[in-house]
Amino acid sequence: MTDLSKQQHFTDPAPADADPDETLEWREALLSLAASQGPARVRHILDELARLARQQRIGWQPELNTPYINTIAVEDQPAFPGDLAVEERLASLMRWNALAMVVRANQAYGELGGHIASYASAADLFETGFNHFFHAKSPQHGGDLVFFQPHSAPGVYARAFLEGRLSEDDLLHYRQEITAPASGARGLSSYPHPWLMPDFWQFPTGSMGIGPISSIYHARFMRYLTHRQLQNCEGRKVWGVFGDGEMDEPESMSALTLAAREKLDNLVWVVNCNLQRLDGPVRGNGRIIDELEKLFAGAGWNVIKLVWGSDWDGLFARDTTGALVRAFANTVDGQMQTFAAKDGRFNRDNFFGQNEELARLAQGMTDEQIDRLKRGGHDLVKIHAAYAAAAAHEGQPTVILAQTKKGYGMGSAGQGKMTTHSQKKFDGADLIEFRNRFNLPLTDEQATGLNFFKPADDSPEMRYLREHRGRLGGAMPRRETVCDVVPVPVIDAYATFALKADGKEMSTTMAFVRMLGTLLKDKALGPRIVPIVADEARTFGMANLFKQVGIYSSVGQRYAPEDIGSVLSYREAMEGQILEEGISEAGALASWTAAATSYSVHGLAMLPFYIYYSMFGFQRVGDAIWAAADQRSRGFLLGATSGRTTLGGEGLQHQDGSSHLVAATIPNCKAYDPAFAGELAVIVDAGMREMLVEQQDVFYYVTLMNENYAQPDLPEGAAEGVLKGGYRFGRFGPDGAKQRVTLLGSGAIFTEVHKAAEQLAAQGVGVDVFSITSWSELARDGVARGEQSHLTQLLADSTGPVIAATDYVRTVPESVRAFMPEGRRFHTLGTDGFGRSDTRAALRAFFQVDAEHIVRKAVAALGKLAR
């Protein structure tokens, strides 16, 4: 009987058949066709019948679920290319050292935490990749990208220990990054964190869901580099090992169709389906593998189900009635978890004891043999077959749905139990049981003492490990940062119009777009720039770039755009430079991260500029921005139409009053709120040099406005102050004024500060005005330098009360209160509360940040001072 007939026979019972004889004829015809002409012909006929059914509006479509068995049949498995016994011993050693690391840390310091069960379920999935598929960067290969399931980090450390990359002292300082150096050790971060282990981890995956979406956009960015002929990424894969519970995160699922639409066959996901989340079953009343199969198949992915291990092959071969598949079809994951937690006797009675057909299959098997029946994700031969098929598949991304047991091998201490995820303690009996389960070369004393085990350098295991990683380019994960310096043109070459604006009216958004257009023409820097938008290019006045550099499309442009006769017409091209991500801030940020880390991932420095509505940055995808910071991104985030009053009519959800507050919390983010084009030019120039020439691991957040107003020349010598966070803009009022006040303003509200200064001057008040380009940089400098801070020195030759006004919540300017000169009163004005829809003037009056309210605050402060 062919596989096709088995699958047909093993499905759930069909509804009552009105004409069994006719049905039999159809079945026999199909089987005959398969036997005589093969699967390809069968698929063609089925496709034709499906098309005919649609034409006749029959109302039928095929099920997206296949039977609950392995996609790859036994006879289609390639020969296993390694030494199975050695690989199983290595995997067992990884499991033990990972377990010992976590348990020892928690014996010493109970609050450290850590996870054992996730890696216990994923160990074989990891090891098969390490031994046969995960290429490190080498002269022969550009290197694969691997996104590791975060809770399995101890297993990656355990392998690095055997490879000699980590010492036993390092393992003893798991999750002890602060205290480790005192012992001459390296502290190991809880999850993959490039910021904390910059030569080890490549990708941060510890915030669930960020890894999956990031892997997709990294795979697409590799195609972008290839199509733009910047770097040939052919032959390189992006591998992601994720958990089934993690698929509940919206980010995990949000870009599946993009991967299929772009035909990213350089992308392989391995979803570790251990059927458990942190607290219990993923889908206790259903089957998560079935659910994910439908989801991925419907999105256009190639789906490989890896459900049962080799021990089941004989059972399936003897099962001529389909009893096994029917039993699986009627067993939900909650029950599967129970089977995982129980022993062979329980499984004999409760699974194989469901009916006589199943009971006969289990005859001749001992309880221990039943207990040791492997699920597919624990069988190295089956895993290798699935990986090989995924690596060879063309035209689609592939997902491998690998069924495992959470806490595999942990026995009564945790295998398949509800508490498994948080299991960190083992008693002596549990440790002996674990040792026995995996035939570890440990004495009772070594096992109960949680001794780490490393075979001798000349042992078969160590030779095998080194040989296989040598073939694949060396140890990994491994993060490298060597890349060529990219020269940056002198600022006058692209920003003279901004530095010497001479009162011309423009918005800072328009100033930025003009600078960008010129930078894109630079022979050295231009090709490295990656402009990114989330379906808002025309909103930000970037339509002129469509013709200049084009929008990236992996298939070019297959249509004549409606506006083809316009100088601003839409143009897509395979070599296009703009990444236009549609209405997806998460996708655009993932693209930005891929470009911003290209210097380390690909050894090719790129410079992404992602421009977006500022409200939809830190507030909407803040977690992804934090992950980008962890990954040491280099690039520009540009929050356009920023502030709570500049985007007048849009209302609450579109008015940003907090992004600078959040940006200030990210250590390697430099946040600026420039009021003028000249300030913006200095900031962009400094950022490019810091990232591309000095190769510092920083990124810039710069807010831009859509309000047109007169742009002054940048004062001589102001550039240094712009970068430090503020400079003197000017003095107003009579020189000998008895009353003096100091005004600080930034971004959109600086024009109101300027008006207020002129009004106060008209009343005989002397006014010192300072343009604050970055409250967060001033605050950081103040913390570092105290009384010698830039702000304290900047205000030293001014007098009177200090009034600060911004288009952000008052907490933003309040961050510099501690650095006011001695004896100066400090008052802040901001846009606390929810936004509103109205004109800019009405909004600024409502939030009391307009010139009139700034004047009132100054007069009141002077009045108090006089009293």
Side-chain angles (χ1 to χ4, degrees):
M1 186 179 289
T2 67
D3 288 331
L4 181 67
S5 65
K6 284 184 181 179
Q7 292 191 12
Q8 180 74 12
H9 185 59
F10 284 3
T11 52
D12 291 333
D17 193 341
D19 192 340
D21 291 337
E22 182 182 33
T23 303
L24 182 60
E25 291 177 7
W26 279 96
R27 286 172 55 85
E28 290 177 346
L30 186 67
L31 292 174
S32 175
L33 183 66
S36 63
Q37 299 190 43
R41 181 60 179 165
V42 174
R43 287 194 293 270
H44 176 78
I45 293 299
L46 290 173
D47 286 341
E48 283 298 311
L49 291 174
R51 277 192 286 272
L52 184 61
R54 284 193 292 270
Q55 290 174 4
Q56 298 299 312
R57 301 186 180 182
I58 302 299
W60 172 88
Q61 61 182 20
E63 281 286 334
L64 290 175
N65 275 138
T66 58
Y68 205 71
I69 57 176
N70 295 340
T71 300
I72 300 173
V74 178
E75 55 267 31
D76 294 329
Q77 289 177 195
F80 186 73
D83 186 320
L84 189 59
V86 172
E87 290 196 26
E88 286 181 340
R89 289 200 297 273
L90 280 170
S92 296
L93 291 177
M94 307 300 178
R95 280 193 173 93
W96 171 259
N97 287 330
L99 178 148
M101 182 192 328
V102 176
V103 176
R104 288 182 71 146
N106 281 277
Q107 282 183 347
Y109 308 99
E111 75 269 27
L112 288 177
H115 302 87
I116 300 169
S118 292
Y119 179 69
S121 68
D124 299 301
L125 300 173
F126 278 39
E127 284 304 300
T128 302
F130 277 125
N131 287 325
H132 301 284
F133 293 95
F134 298 164
H135 287 267
K137 188 176 182 180
S138 69
Q140 293 76 37
H141 196 283
D144 292 334
L145 284 55
V146 184
F147 290 75
F148 292 99
Q149 186 179 14
H151 290 134
S152 295
V156 182
Y157 296 142
R159 168 169 269 268
F161 169 61
L162 291 195
E163 292 172 331
R165 301 173 66 201
L166 297 176
S167 69
E168 184 169 322
D169 279 346
D170 296 334
L171 265 58
L172 287 171
H173 288 85
Y174 171 63
R175 293 194 172 195
Q176 299 163 65
E177 297 156 271
I178 297 172
T179 56
S183 301
R186 176 178 192 171
L188 305 182
S189 60
S190 55
Y191 305 123
H193 290 306
W195 187 264
L196 299 172
M197 298 180 70
D199 62 340
F200 193 90
W201 294 115
Q202 273 193 307
F203 306 107
T205 55
S207 187
M208 295 296 210
I210 300 297
I213 188 173
S214 184
S215 71
I216 291 174
Y217 281 88
H218 270 282
R220 202 277 297 268
F221 189 72
M222 289 165 70
R223 289 286 174 82
Y224 172 88
L225 292 177
T226 300
H227 287 158
R228 290 194 54 219
Q229 299 182 10
L230 293 170
Q231 185 177 94
N232 185 357
C233 296
E234 295 296 330
R236 299 172 64 191
K237 294 283 187 183
V238 178
W239 295 84
V241 184
F242 309 118
D244 49 359
E246 187 176 3
M247 296 301 105
D248 285 344
E249 289 284 4
E251 293 89 349
S252 297
M253 299 288 101
S254 61
L256 296 187
T257 53
L258 177 137
R261 184 172 67 248
E262 295 292 308
K263 296 181 172 55
L264 297 180
D265 51 17
N266 61 341
L267 177 66
V268 179
W269 279 15
V270 182
V271 180
N272 176 20
C273 298
N274 58 35
L275 316 184
Q276 285 186 248
R277 292 185 298 219
L278 277 61
D279 293 333
V282 177
R283 296 286 185 273
N285 296 304
R287 286 185 296 277
I288 188 61
I289 289 180
D290 284 351
E291 180 181 327
L292 293 177
E293 181 183 26
K294 282 185 178 181
L295 183 65
F296 281 93
W301 287 51
N302 174 43
V303 180
I304 297 175
K305 289 163 72 170
L306 173 57
V307 189
W308 307 114
S310 300
D311 295 339
W312 289 90
D313 289 341
L315 295 174
F316 280 114
R318 297 201 304 272
D319 180 21
T320 58
T321 65
L324 270 179
V325 173
R326 285 196 300 274
F328 292 142
N330 292 300
T331 304
V332 296
D333 283 354
Q335 190 62 44
M336 282 287 190
Q337 181 187 344
T338 300
F339 291 146
K342 301 298 183 179
D343 59 15
R345 168 54 61 181
F346 181 92
N347 281 274
R348 180 191 297 278
D349 294 342
N350 291 275
F351 180 75
F352 289 104
Q354 294 180 71
N355 55 57
E356 290 185 6
E357 292 171 300
L358 292 174
R360 280 196 298 270
L361 290 176
Q363 284 178 356
M365 297 179 70
T366 66
D367 290 347
E368 183 180 4
Q369 287 174 320
I370 292 175
D371 187 50
R372 295 212 172 197
L373 285 170
K374 289 181 179 178
R375 297 186 181 180
H378 300 307
D379 188 308
L380 297 177
V381 173
K382 297 290 187 183
I383 298 169
H384 180 272
Y387 282 21
H393 188 76
E394 296 181 352
Q396 292 173 288
T398 294
V399 61
I400 298 169
L401 303 176
Q403 182 168 232
T404 65
K405 294 179 181 179
K406 191 158 190 174
Y408 179 63
M410 290 168 62
S412 59
Q415 180 172 286
K417 294 183 179 296
M418 294 293 187
T419 57
T420 294
H421 186 77
S422 300
Q423 184 71 31
K424 303 172 185 66
K425 297 179 180 179
F426 282 70
D427 61 25
D430 293 329
L431 293 168
I432 296 294
E433 182 184 355
F434 191 93
R435 179 204 62 184
N436 294 341
R437 172 67 181 80
F438 292 106
N439 299 314
L440 292 160
L442 300 167
T443 65
D444 288 358
E445 185 179 2
Q446 289 173 325
T448 55
L450 290 165
N451 289 25
F452 296 120
F453 186 86
K454 184 176 183 179
D457 281 347
D458 61 349
S459 66
E461 292 84 3
M462 295 298 286
R463 290 200 305 269
Y464 189 92
L465 182 147
R466 289 193 297 267
E467 178 185 331
H468 278 68
R469 283 315 309 166
R471 291 176 186 171
L472 293 168
M476 67 182 312
R478 187 176 73 226
R479 182 177 178 274
E480 299 177 355
T481 59
V482 176
C483 67
D484 292 336
V485 167
V486 179
V488 174
V490 296
I491 192 169
D492 288 337
Y494 62 90
T496 299
F497 77 93
L499 299 170
K500 299 176 181 178
D502 195 28
K504 293 186 180 68
E505 286 201 355
M506 70 182 88
S507 68
T508 51
T509 297
M510 289 301 98
F512 163 72
V513 173
R514 185 171 170 182
M515 290 180 213
L516 181 63
T518 304
L519 288 169
L520 285 164
K521 296 174 184 176
D522 185 81
K523 290 184 179 179
L525 175 62
R528 304 297 187 93
I529 292 175
V530 185
I532 303 172
V533 289
D535 198 43
E536 294 156 343
R538 294 187 192 276
T539 301
F540 303 135
M542 297 173 66
N544 61 308
L545 298 181
F546 294 164
K547 279 282 183 71
Q548 182 179 338
V549 295
I551 298 164
Y552 171 69
S553 166
S554 61
V555 297
Q557 190 163 33
R558 297 174 173 177
Y559 62 94
E562 171 273 330
D563 59 352
I564 194 169
S566 167
V567 294
L568 304 179
S569 65
Y570 207 75
R571 184 175 77 87
E572 299 185 69
M574 188 176 289
E575 71 280 3
Q577 202 159 343
I578 301 169
L579 290 175
E580 211 282 18
E581 302 297 5
I583 305 175
S584 173
E585 287 83 7
L589 201 284
S591 269
W592 181 85
T593 303
T597 57
S598 178
Y599 75 94
S600 63
V601 176
H602 306 294
L604 181 75
M606 302 293 286
L607 186 65
F609 290 89
Y610 169 33
I611 184 170
Y612 56 91
Y613 277 115
S614 67
M615 190 68 162
F616 302 134
F618 287 86
Q619 176 167 311
R620 185 159 189 156
V621 290
D623 195 16
I625 295 175
W626 190 263
D630 188 351
Q631 201 173 328
R632 297 174 172 255
S633 294
R634 301 173 185 173
F636 287 89
L637 297 175
L638 300 143
T641 61
S642 65
R644 188 148 280 164
T645 68
T646 188
L647 190 59
E650 292 287 339
L652 185 152
Q653 199 65 18
H654 282 64
Q655 293 172 338
D656 165 32
S658 58
S659 66
H660 274 285
L661 183 64
V662 182
T665 66
I666 300 179
N668 54 336
C669 173
K670 291 190 173 183
Y672 289 93
D673 186 30
F676 299 117
E679 298 171 355
L680 174 64
V682 168
I683 293 164
V684 170
D685 182 72
M688 292 193 297
R689 296 182 189 283
E690 192 169 9
M691 291 180 261
L692 296 176
V693 179
E694 299 171 22
Q695 298 190 357
Q696 297 297 309
D697 295 342
V698 298
F699 66 98
Y700 279 44
Y701 173 57
V702 186
T703 41
L704 306 174
M705 278 73 71
N706 65 343
E707 182 179 1
N708 291 322
Y709 47 77
Q711 301 283 336
D713 292 353
L714 185 72
E716 190 72 27
E720 182 180 2
V722 167
L723 298 176
K724 288 184 175 180
Y727 67 96
R728 179 185 289 279
F729 180 78
R731 289 177 180 267
F732 298 80
D735 290 337
K738 294 182 179 180
Q739 289 188 312
R740 298 198 65 84
V741 67
T742 298
L743 301 183
L744 312 181
S746 67
I749 298 304
F750 189 84
T751 54
E752 300 295 328
V753 171
H754 191 184
K755 292 176 190 174
E758 292 177 332
Q759 292 175 22
L760 287 165
Q763 299 175 29
V765 177
V767 186
D768 293 290
V769 177
F770 296 85
S771 178
I772 303 302
T773 52
S774 177
W775 300 98
S776 56
E777 287 300 295
L778 290 176
R780 289 171 180 174
D781 178 69
V783 170
R785 300 176 60 207
E787 293 181 358
Q788 299 302 312
S789 73
H790 176 67
L791 181 60
T792 304
Q793 294 179 357
L794 187 65
L795 300 182
D797 64 345
S798 67
T799 59
V802 181
I803 315 296
T806 79
D807 214 8
Y808 293 88
V809 295
R810 290 176 56 209
T811 308
V812 172
E814 284 287 343
S815 65
V816 303
R817 176 179 289 278
F819 315 113
M820 289 295 112
E822 188 78 24
R824 303 285 290 277
R825 290 181 176 272
F826 184 54
H827 307 272
T828 56
L829 300 174
T831 55
D832 293 46
F834 288 115
R836 303 286 193 280
S837 296
D838 216 304
T839 64
R840 290 193 187 106
L843 288 168
R844 289 168 183 171
F846 175 81
F847 285 108
Q848 300 184 5
V849 292
D850 61 348
E852 181 181 350
H853 283 89
I854 295 170
V855 169
R856 287 185 191 176
K857 179 61 73 173
V859 170
L862 289 168
K864 289 180 181 178
L865 191 64
R867 292 196 298 272

